[in-house]
Amino acid sequence: AQSVTQLDSQVPVFEEAPVELRCNYSSSVSVYLFWYVQYPNQGLQLLLKYLSGSTLVKGINGFEAEFNKSQTSFHLRKPSVHISDTAEYFCAVSAIGNEKLTFGTGTRLTIIP
Amino acid sequence: DSGVTQTPKHLITATGQRVTLRCSPRSGDLSVYWYQQSLDQGLQFLIQYYNGEERAKGNILERFSAQQFPDLHSELNLSSLELGDSALYFCASSLSRDQPQHFGDGTRLSIL
């Protein structure tokens, strides 16, 4: 079984400052990793994914994440946030060969003007 | 727009009732997944169908059932509803195992 830990339930950041949202996972098998964003009253939108290859993954809206196998982490970063980035961010994992997604509890990103 | 369509957007009903949530996957996607998002349980996988067949089951209650039809749309049936079933129910679809899941906007179910 897989599990995902998002230690920070809320992260306040000033506009134009950098941000890092942390995600750690646990799995006994190889995994795929994802970040999804949920804007208020909307569904989940895929930000980026790691399937294989380069450990640095670039996604939409200027976000990127780095897969670190030794630390079992997949932290999400953005060098300069905007008010429009206010949302809830979910890290998710699926075991290769098993399509079920296991989600973390989410991190609410609040941008301070 | 993810291309995944869920209806209805909102559903208000009473305890003991039965409801059906509908999902149309993205064009070409064979897999459909159902998830439940609630305040106390977070986002939980319920069930997956692939080309009409059940492929994986998660934390789905026996009062809940789903199916995928030949045109690939899927329905999630919830019966004998309880207050605790109030949640946002998401449908997602994907093309294949190695492709990410794309989510609909969800159906918000409120049990009074």
Side-chain angles (χ1 to χ4, degrees), chain B residues 23-38:
Chain B
C23 169
S24 293
R26 290 189 321 161
S27 177
D29 285 357
L30 298 176
S31 276
V32 169
Y33 311 78
W34 287 97
Y35 292 84
Q36 179 194 59
Q37 185 180 32
S38 62

Side-chain angles (χ1 to χ4, degrees), chain B:
Chain B
D1 181 11
S2 68
V4 178
T5 304
Q6 288 188 249
T7 56
K9 289 193 185 307
H10 302 278
L11 204 46
I12 303 173
T13 188
T15 55
Q17 296 299 304
R18 173 189 166 95
V19 297
T20 297
L21 314 184
R22 184 188 167 101
C23 169
S24 293
R26 290 189 321 161
S27 177
D29 285 357
L30 298 176
S31 276
V32 169
Y33 311 78
W34 287 97
Y35 292 84
Q36 179 194 59
Q37 185 180 32
S38 62
L39 284 175
D40 54 343
Q41 304 265 16
L43 265 163
Q44 296 226 321
F45 168 73
L46 295 178
I47 197 164
Q48 178 204 356
Y49 279 81
Y50 177 83
N51 203 20
E53 301 288 326
E54 181 184 305
R55 176 168 272 187
K57 223 168 185 176
N59 300 323
I60 188 166
L61 300 171
E62 283 193 14
R63 300 183 285 108
F64 295 1
S65 65
Q67 58 186 134
Q68 186 179 27
F69 295 87
D71 66 352
L72 300 178
H73 91 271
S74 177
E75 292 181 357
L76 179 67
N77 300 296
L78 316 176
S79 62
S80 303
L81 287 168
E82 302 174 0
L83 292 177
D85 297 329
S86 294
L88 198 47
Y89 291 85
F90 285 111
C91 168
S93 73
S94 73
L95 180 60
S96 67
R97 277 207 160 110
D98 294 341
Q99 297 302 312
Q101 296 174 29
H102 295 269
F103 284 73
D105 286 341
T107 292
R108 184 171 295 281
L109 176 63
S110 299
I111 313 298
L112 302 179

Side-chain angles (χ1 to χ4, degrees), chain A residues 32 34 36 38 41-46 49 51 90 94 96-105, chain B residues 31 33 35 37 43 45 48 50 55-56 88 90 94 96-98 100-106 108:
Chain A
Y32 296 142
F34 309 86
Y36 283 86
Q38 185 176 27
N41 300 314
Q42 292 188 28
L44 294 160
Q45 182 181 0
L46 180 68
K49 61 185 184 291
L51 303 181
F90 292 92
S94 68
I96 294 175
N98 181 342
E99 297 144 84
K100 164 194 142 179
L101 280 174
T102 298
F103 285 89
T105 50
Chain B
S31 276
Y33 311 78
Y35 292 84
Q37 185 180 32
L43 265 163
F45 168 73
Q48 178 204 356
Y50 177 83
R55 176 168 272 187
L88 198 47
F90 285 111
S94 73
S96 67
R97 277 207 160 110
D98 294 341
Q101 296 174 29
H102 295 269
F103 284 73
D105 286 341
R108 184 171 295 281

